Amino acid sequence: MLRLNGEAPGQEVRPTPERGPRAAPDAASDQAAGYADPNAWSEAGHDAAGVLWGLYGQGGEPGLRVVVDTAAEAAWCACAEAAPPCGHVRGLLLRWCAGPSALPRSTAPGWVAERLGEGLGALDGGRAGEASPAGAAGGGSGRTADREARRRAERRAARITAGATELEQRLADLLHEGLASAERAGGGPWEEAAARMVDAQAPGLAARVRELGALPGSGADWPVRLLEECALLHLLNRAWLGRDRLPGPLATTVRTRVGLPSAADGTAVADSWLVLSRQDTSEGGLTTRRIWLHGRESERTVLLLSFGAAGRAPGLSLSVGRVLRAEVIPHGGSGQLRGELTEPHGPPTAADWPPPGGTSCAAAAAAYGRALGDDPWAESWPVVLGPVIPVPVGEGWQLADGEGADALPIAPAGAGLWRLVALSGGRAVTVFGELGHRGVVPLAAWTERSAEVVALT
């Protein structure tokens, strides 16, 4: 039996002779020594929260993925052995006990975060946080699982609190030293701070810190943009530290923005959903797919997110312009548009009704402003503009109302801009996109001549 003792919240979990398979030198532990061969492991590491990972493979075979959460006493291995810990898990624990040089501290790859989100198995068999079937018969399994879930949530909240407190000190130091010091220091300190936020299990904070590191020296107005982003990060830190005093929806938004998962716990909306756009982005080996839907009866716009790791495509695949009948369960939070799709009632079909009508540029800007009132950290807001005409202005482009009264800038969008210009041909079109502080990112468009939704990404 492996026994792993956690540290105080916010402190790095370190191995001791009392932790790991050496504490119980049974036959299985002795066999684990063979799996601890450093030559058999690649991409192995650990973080301050006590999460271990690595790829185990010999003789040129593809590496088996292994993850261990020492704080939760849980593990997972791709060998799919019936009950953990398998030899690969024990081998990784032996390497961890050997010291920092055997298993260096680093930032976890995307597949580790994905596996942690899906759940690990308890090191004594079964599911982490669950009681045995015998305990279930006595009615205690639910309480045991709830207590363990609360303890894990409290440990993670404590780590995030420590990370937010550290960031507040870093921001105070930056303002004290002056913004010019950020350009002299380069991106190294920011990348280090981002890695510490990942260790604190706050990926949302980590992403914002990385954005700060990319701003110094990025243009003539970089000090203004850096100060703006510092203010937003400060606001998020203070909101997290005072989350107990926030209204429920706003507190949920804050938890989501720091990187905690949000639950799809709203009222299900049954509708015929038109697929307006589909966009894939990749970062750190993880592919994120964003699909926007529009409901015919509800007139709601919903964002579906799915993920794929290690070169695999995300599981959710819907074609732009198709319609499916299904229920969507919204996530919580102020102004949040994300939802979860239930099993569709039949395959997607061709649209037999026109796409939604557009609004003016002024109305779209007002909608984005209201969204920022609910969620100050919102990067963008979905809008349908029309009729509008793409027109060149200086070195950029704008979407101008058909009457020419108002216009919104088009954010740099690569090939999507030229597809939009070709579709328009100088005539009015309806455009679906995301409106943010840099302008509109066009994602799809259609014309009066044809109601077919044309993907621009």
Side-chain angles (χ1 to χ4, degrees):
M1 171 65 182
L2 304 180
R3 188 64 188 170
L4 303 167
N5 299 315
E7 302 290 343
Q11 296 181 357
E12 181 174 358
V13 178
R14 298 297 306 146
T16 71
E18 288 75 27
R19 296 193 186 102
R22 294 179 182 176
D26 54 15
S29 297
D30 294 339
Q31 294 172 3
Y35 291 107
D37 180 3
N39 297 322
W41 289 91
S42 61
E43 300 183 26
H46 82 281
D47 63 20
V51 176
L52 325 177
W53 63 86
L55 302 180
Y56 180 87
Q58 290 183 323
E61 297 179 358
L64 287 170
R65 293 178 173 181
V66 184
V67 181
V68 180
D69 185 343
T70 61
E73 299 189 24
W76 173 85
C77 179
C79 73
E81 191 169 297
C86 64
H88 308 108
V89 168
R90 291 175 177 269
L92 184 60
L93 284 166
L94 276 172
R95 292 201 62 199
W96 183 59
C97 290
S101 60
L103 202 64
R105 176 173 165 176
S106 61
T107 301
W111 62 267
V112 175
E114 181 186 42
R115 171 46 55 183
L116 290 173
E118 294 177 359
L120 310 179
L123 283 173
D124 57 354
R127 196 75 169 168
E130 291 182 353
S132 64
S141 64
R143 289 190 297 272
T144 301
D146 289 344
R147 284 195 299 269
E148 180 59 29
R150 283 196 299 270
R151 284 196 291 267
R152 288 198 301 269
E154 290 168 358
R155 287 194 294 265
R156 183 170 186 180
R159 295 182 186 118
I160 296 174
T161 296
T165 303
E166 178 185 337
L167 278 183
E168 283 294 277
Q169 185 59 54
R170 285 179 176 266
L171 293 176
D173 292 343
L174 174 62
L175 294 180
H176 177 74
E177 297 169 3
L179 296 182
S181 64
E183 186 175 22
R184 292 193 301 268
W190 295 110
E191 191 59 39
E192 177 189 353
R196 291 181 66 83
M197 294 308 103
V198 172
D199 288 346
Q201 295 183 285
L205 293 179
R208 289 190 170 274
V209 171
R210 290 194 183 96
E211 290 179 5
L212 291 181
L215 287 176
S218 61
D221 63 340
W222 72 262
V224 174
R225 289 182 284 122
L226 178 61
L227 188 59
E228 291 173 347
E229 292 301 322
C230 285
L232 284 173
L233 180 56
H234 168 68
L235 181 63
L236 183 55
N237 289 334
R238 300 310 303 176
W240 169 262
L241 296 174
R243 62 192 181 281
D244 293 338
R245 301 188 298 272
L246 298 178
L250 182 56
T252 300
T253 296
V254 170
R255 288 193 291 269
T256 302
R257 291 303 180 188
V258 301
L260 291 173
S262 63
D265 53 6
T267 302
V269 181
D271 208 337
S272 295
W273 301 95
L274 172 65
V275 183
L276 287 178
S277 73
R278 189 180 80 180
Q279 185 180 24
D280 290 354
T281 56
S282 297
E283 182 179 356
L286 184 69
T287 300
T288 302
R289 174 165 293 168
R290 297 166 58 88
I291 297 179
W292 283 105
L293 304 178
H294 180 79
R296 180 179 184 180
E297 292 89 14
S298 64
E299 298 186 349
R300 295 183 62 156
T301 304
V302 175
L303 174 65
L304 306 180
L305 292 179
S306 58
F307 306 92
R312 293 180 297 173
L316 187 59
S317 180
L318 298 173
S319 299
V320 173
R322 305 292 284 181
V323 174
L324 65 157
R325 185 74 188 179
E327 292 183 348
V328 170
I329 305 175
H331 283 239
S334 301
Q336 298 297 304
L337 296 172
R338 185 181 173 188
E340 297 294 334
L341 187 69
T342 64
E343 189 69 26
H345 305 306
T349 61
D352 58 357
W353 43 280
T359 61
S360 67
C361 293
Y368 181 39
R370 290 191 296 272
L372 288 175
D374 291 332
D375 180 2
W377 307 279
E379 297 291 338
S380 61
W381 190 255
V383 295
V384 180
L385 300 169
V388 291
I389 302 173
V391 295
V393 178
E395 297 181 356
W397 287 75
Q398 293 183 348
L399 287 176
D401 283 335
E403 295 79 12
D406 297 295
L408 290 171
I410 297 178
L417 170 62
W418 303 115
R419 294 192 186 102
L420 175 60
V421 172
L423 178 68
S424 167
R427 292 185 290 268
V429 294
T430 302
V431 177
F432 170 75
E434 297 180 9
L435 175 59
H437 63 279
R438 300 183 63 188
V440 180
V441 177
L443 300 176
W446 51 94
T447 68
E448 293 182 353
R449 304 181 302 276
S450 171
E452 180 183 0
V453 178
V454 178
L456 302 177
T457 57

